[in-house]
Each structure stands twice: as structure tokens, then as C-alpha cells.
Amino acid sequence: QVQLVESGGGLVQAGGSLRLSCVASGVIFSSYTTGWYRQAPGDERDLVARITGGGSTNYAASVKGRFTISRDNAKNTVYLQMNSLKPEDTAVYYCAAGDIVSIYSKRPQYWGQGTQVTVSS
């Protein structure tokens, strides 16, 4: 059974940093594109960053220059380093994996349960 488990969320002051982790079992991250999405109450779930199996990265304009997605193949873990956090970054953050088309279609093969990130002003 495939499971993706996120961790690292919490409460942080504006301008601060958090590092989210997503560890997978039953699937090898390096064989997929992995994305981080976020969703605030009442809002659409949006893709904020993704990394392909080959290691290429892309970011939503709203987080470019502040967030970094990376992968540790030995640990089968994907990370999202979030710096210079803003109140508008407050959301539940979800890890997901699938082929690249499924990631951009918001229909990944596998979803994590999410982790809450709250940025105070």
C-alpha cells in the first residue's frame, strides 16, 4: 500500500522559515514527479512546487525565490524548504506523486494527508 506522510508544519512568524518533509512507502519518489500543493480554507488547492524524477524543479510565481523543493533518494523523502514566509502562505500543505501530467492536472496518483502551516503577521 502506498503512503505519503507529511511533517514539519507549524506556526511561524512572518519572515521565518519552515522545512516540510514527505516520506513515502510503497512508491519510489525518483520514479515520479512529486509536487507540493497548498490549500487555504475556501480556496482551491494549488500546486506550489514540483520536482521530476530527473530532478528538474518548477515553482509557482507566488513562491519563486522563497521556496525550494528537493529530494533525498536514499531516504525516499521530498522536502519543501520555505523561507521568507508570508501570512498568505498559511495553508494546509499536501505532498503528492504521479506522472507530470497528473501533477499539473491536480489528479496525482498519490496524496498525503497534509500538514498545517500557519504564518503570523
Side-chain angles (χ1 to χ4, degrees), residues 22-23 58 64 73-74 91 93 109 113 121:
C22 177
V23 62
N58 263 277
K64 192 171 296 183
N73 292 336
Y93 284 71
Q109 292 175 270
Q113 294 295 316
S121 59

Side-chain angles (χ1 to χ4, degrees), residues 33-87:
T33 295
T34 302
W36 285 96
Y37 299 78
R38 68 185 182 188
Q39 186 172 26
D43 293 341
E44 189 175 70
R45 188 174 299 187
D46 292 324
L47 181 67
V48 299
R50 61 82 168 159
I51 183 168
T52 68
S56 67
T57 59
N58 263 277
Y59 302 90
S62 59
V63 308
K64 192 171 296 183
R66 300 187 297 120
F67 291 11
T68 303
I69 188 170
S70 62
R71 185 179 66 234
D72 185 331
N73 292 336
K75 297 179 179 179
N76 204 27
T77 300
V78 172
Y79 304 95
L80 186 67
Q81 178 67 47
M82 304 184 294
N83 299 326
S84 302
L85 282 162
K86 304 174 181 179

Side-chain angles (χ1 to χ4, degrees), residues 80-112:
L80 186 67
Q81 178 67 47
M82 304 184 294
N83 299 326
S84 302
L85 282 162
K86 304 174 181 179
E88 51 262 45
D89 296 319
T90 296
V92 177
Y93 284 71
Y94 299 89
C95 178
D99 66 78
I100 192 165
V101 173
S102 75
I103 291 293
Y104 280 108
S105 300
K106 301 183 183 180
R107 295 288 188 268
Q109 292 175 270
Y110 310 108
W111 284 107

